[in-house]
Amino acid sequence: MATIDSSRFLKVLSGKRQSPVPVWMMRQAGRHLPEYLNLRSRAKDFLDFCYSPSMAAEATLQPIRRYDMDAAILFADILLVLDALGLNVRFEKGVGPIVQTVETGSELGTTPVEKAVQRLSPVYETVSRVRASLASGKALIGFCGAPWTVALYAIEGRGGTDKSSARIWAYQKPEALDQLLSDLVEVSAHYLAEQVSAGADALMLFESWAEGLPADVFDHIVTKPNAALINRLRELGVTVPVIGFPRGAGTVLPDYVSNVPVSAVALDTAIAPSFVKSALPVDLPVQGHLDPLLLIAGGQAMEDRVRFLLDAYSDRPHIFNLGHGVRPETPIPHVERVVEILREGH
Ligand code: CP3
């Protein structure tokens, strides 16, 4: 277990500013690392990889060894929950995930929560293996997809779309949508609770597709289910900090943080630091938010932006991260340079 005394990442989540600022990066494990590609080539397919505790634990640890990040994120995927709930999930090379679609919204409820949570037990085994090999100063982050983002894959069957068909579906079948969201809240809360029992030190909710929603719809399908999920987790006795990532929230971000009991908020690439300064409480820890494309570009522009972000959040608890995940084409020396700048301290 990482403890607040040993982990600067957990200190920030508890509201204490740290210098140097702790760092990790979303999708820090994965295809930009040759050691990941090598490991991955030994798995039958991506799901098999995620359900293999030895491979998933190794993938989780690779970025910690290479970059000395302050936190490891469990190697898994937000779509495992749908697989565990009985939908057919495949990951196709060059295409991404393909998910069996739902029609009535009652499909997820046909698998008992205990059964789905049990099917995900290889993930808990990964968590405990990783925790056992991590130094106490390094935190381990467990995660799941937030209900709307996961529901969207079950409605549309794939990612990479403009999400319009899922939104039309949601407008046409409001009761079906509510059923999907509440089933996902329940199973995800238990799934996260098991990750914590296995050794996760903090949790993150990935609401990756929250952008472009009318404010009242955002409240209904993002804010309320995120809040319900955290409240359910607390009812289950889980006390670790939870980071919310409502990607694309834009001007409703202040409503999200005041209505969802998150310990910290992950900022996306687009949000302006000046907006964060004026609209979010100064004691709320923030995580973020270098543009992943600037991390690919590198050079002086990248270095200037890293320093700019450090300055922008120097008055509040801050964890350095990207505004979205590391892309496969990211040069390793650029990641190393960012970590080096952060370690210089400010
Ligand atoms: O370092 C880490 O963050 C590793 C763990 C992780 C993965 N997926 C591994 C993965 C995490 C936290 C995720 C979350 C995830 N998965 C999200 C939310 C975060 C985000 O990026 O917005 C979403 C939307 C997904 C769904 C998903 N999984 C997509 C759309 C894809 C295909 C696109 C892509 O990036 O390849 C995946 C596959 C996936 N998940 C890969 C990895 C490393 C690539 C699979 C491979 O190795 O071929």
Side-chain angles (χ1 to χ4, degrees), residues 102-111 169 175-177 179-180 183:
V102 294
E103 295 294 331
T104 65
S106 60
E107 290 88 344
L108 302 184
T110 58
T111 302
W169 192 101
E175 283 157 19
L177 179 75
Q179 188 63 54
L180 279 182
D183 287 345

Side-chain angles (χ1 to χ4, degrees), residues 3-163:
T3 58
I4 290 206
D5 287 341
S6 63
S7 159
R8 290 184 308 109
F9 168 84
L10 292 177
K11 278 194 186 122
V12 174
L13 289 182
S14 77
K16 299 186 187 74
R17 282 185 280 137
Q18 297 293 302
S19 179
V21 165
V23 57
W24 71 280
M25 293 182 187
M26 290 187 268
R27 296 287 187 102
Q28 63 191 14
R31 286 165 301 176
H32 84 291
L33 294 177
E35 58 270 35
Y36 170 78
L37 294 174
N38 181 23
L39 190 65
R40 174 82 171 77
S41 67
R42 289 188 244 149
K44 187 166 80 143
D45 54 41
F46 183 65
L47 270 186
D48 188 52
F49 190 110
C50 291
Y51 286 135
S52 157
S54 62
M55 286 199 269
E58 173 59 20
T60 307
L61 291 166
Q62 285 173 342
I64 308 306
R65 290 196 201 104
R66 186 182 270 277
Y67 300 122
D68 193 31
M69 298 293 189
D70 292 285
I73 182 157
L74 163 68
F75 194 92
D77 197 84
I78 64 164
L79 301 177
L80 297 188
V81 160
L82 292 179
D83 177 65
L85 286 167
L87 295 189
N88 193 295
V89 177
R90 289 181 291 129
F91 288 83
E92 238 161 65
K93 221 182 153 73
V95 181
I98 300 182
V99 179
Q100 180 189 345
T101 52
V102 294
E103 295 294 331
T104 65
S106 60
E107 290 88 344
L108 302 184
T110 58
T111 302
V113 169
E114 310 75 61
K115 195 168 168 193
V117 171
Q118 170 64 27
R119 278 187 187 160
L120 292 162
S121 48
V123 175
Y124 322 136
E125 173 63 20
T126 303
V127 170
S128 71
R129 288 187 189 206
V130 172
R131 193 52 270 174
S133 350
L134 272 179
S136 68
K138 306 288 184 195
L140 174 57
I141 306 167
F143 73 93
C144 71
W148 163 245
T149 293
V150 177
L152 200 142
Y153 283 93
I155 298 168
E156 293 208 341
R158 58 184 62 222
T161 62
D162 70 355
K163 323 290 177 292

Side-chain angles (χ1 to χ4, degrees), residues 129-260:
R129 288 187 189 206
V130 172
R131 193 52 270 174
S133 350
L134 272 179
S136 68
K138 306 288 184 195
L140 174 57
I141 306 167
F143 73 93
C144 71
W148 163 245
T149 293
V150 177
L152 200 142
Y153 283 93
I155 298 168
E156 293 208 341
R158 58 184 62 222
T161 62
D162 70 355
K163 323 290 177 292
S164 55
S165 57
R167 275 165 63 189
I168 294 168
W169 192 101
Y171 284 128
Q172 287 175 332
K173 305 185 193 182
E175 283 157 19
L177 179 75
D178 286 348
Q179 188 63 54
L180 279 182
L181 296 175
S182 69
D183 287 345
L184 286 167
V185 164
E186 187 61 17
V187 75
S188 304
H190 285 273
Y191 176 45
L192 292 179
E194 291 290 337
Q195 293 181 29
V196 172
S197 300
D201 301 299
L203 296 168
M204 180 152 165
L205 304 183
F206 283 93
E207 189 75 275
S208 299
W209 305 125
E211 81 256 44
L213 301 168
D216 57 331
V217 177
F218 183 95
D219 183 62
H220 188 77
I221 69 180
V222 173
T223 300
K224 289 208 163 70
N226 277 245
L229 176 41
I230 298 177
N231 290 332
R232 186 76 183 106
L233 261 176
R234 299 309 182 210
E235 271 173 28
L236 296 174
V238 174
T239 56
V240 303
V242 180
I243 305 167
F245 180 40
R247 181 171 160 264
T251 54
V252 293
L253 188 60
D255 300 321
Y256 177 91
V257 304
S258 57
N259 292 304
V260 183

